Amino acid sequence: MNKITLKTDGFLAENRNVVEDNPLMFLGYRIELQKGCSLRSFFQMFDHYALLAQLSVFLPDCIEQYRACPKSQCKSDDIDHLQFIKTVEMIGFPGKPRLDIFNALRGVRGKETYEIKSFRLESLLDMPLKLGILKHIVFGDKIDVFEFETMFTLFEFIDGIAWELSFQGTPKECAI
């Protein structure tokens, strides 16, 4: 599969060559992250490729929040890094079966993962960002969760992070 790399400065690179224009043609490519990428790198991508911000209705508000944040040291002591994951969940036994597939951005500390909706964006921007695994949950049984290596497309990465960040908005006074 073709791959595209998100660099720490927000540029995309294909075969080590920086993408100058037309980022839409890379949406189906497998995304890789350059070592040292952060959530800030994700937002810098929209500074370089404004067209990508049109992929989600949530992105304009997220980008506006990002631009209001400090330019550095936006970290949390409550997590070690951010991880983008994929979940496949079989639901509906007994009953009508269905398969849900979704992506999520989680905070990780040690072996524990946390939803990020209670964190303010200014405490996440400079946290290391990593691509995670696929978790397979069968019929809601959260005890026997299977984990697999997986890949993400550039589109999944952008859309999934935008979706997660759309739940941000905890007032500063209520933030963890």
Side-chain angles (χ1 to χ4, degrees):
M1 173 174 239
N2 294 326
K3 60 185 171 182
I4 192 87
T5 302
L6 176 63
K7 297 169 58 93
T8 58
D9 59 6
F11 279 101
L12 295 171
E14 180 193 24
N15 296 325
R16 298 188 183 133
N17 297 318
V18 171
V19 173
E20 298 295 332
D21 58 0
N22 198 10
L24 296 181
M25 66 185 287
F26 301 103
L27 289 175
Y29 281 36
R30 176 186 187 139
I31 183 85
E32 292 185 347
L33 304 180
Q34 182 181 43
K35 185 176 174 135
C37 270
S38 64
L39 197 55
R40 188 177 301 277
S41 306
F42 171 80
F43 281 107
Q44 288 172 328
M45 177 175 58
F46 302 109
D47 292 337
H48 304 304
Y49 311 102
L51 186 60
L52 293 178
Q54 296 178 35
L55 292 174
S56 171
V57 69
F58 304 115
L59 277 170
D61 286 340
C62 293
I63 292 169
E64 186 178 316
Q65 288 177 37
Y66 152 72
R67 290 190 175 136
C69 289
K71 301 295 181 205
S72 64
Q73 300 304 315
C74 295
K75 294 185 175 187
S76 171
D77 292 332
D78 296 322
I79 56 175
D80 301 327
H81 66 273
L82 296 169
Q83 188 172 61
F84 191 67
I85 62 169
K86 186 178 292 189
T87 301
V88 174
E89 187 168 1
M90 294 174 65
I91 301 171
F93 181 79
K96 187 176 180 182
R98 101 175 175 254
L99 185 68
D100 289 345
I101 302 171
F102 58 92
N103 298 306
L105 182 66
R106 298 287 186 252
V108 178
R109 183 175 191 142
K111 293 185 178 189
E112 297 293 320
T113 61
Y114 302 94
E115 289 188 5
I116 61 163
K117 63 184 173 185
S118 60
F119 290 85
R120 305 269 309 153
L121 185 59
E122 61 260 21
S123 68
L124 298 175
L125 279 176
D126 295 313
M127 298 302 299
L129 179 60
K130 300 178 180 182
L131 297 176
I133 57 171
L134 178 141
K135 292 184 178 189
H136 184 199
I137 302 170
V138 182
F139 299 123
D141 183 3
K142 307 247 187 224
I143 295 171
D144 291 323
V145 175
F146 302 100
E147 296 181 347
F148 303 93
E149 285 187 28
T150 193
M151 57 73 79
F152 303 92
T153 64
L154 176 59
F155 176 78
E156 288 175 313
F157 183 70
I158 292 170
D159 186 61
I161 291 177
W163 172 258
E164 283 294 330
L165 293 178
S166 72
F167 294 100
Q168 299 294 107
T170 303
K172 253 185 197 174
E173 298 75 28
C174 299
I176 290 179

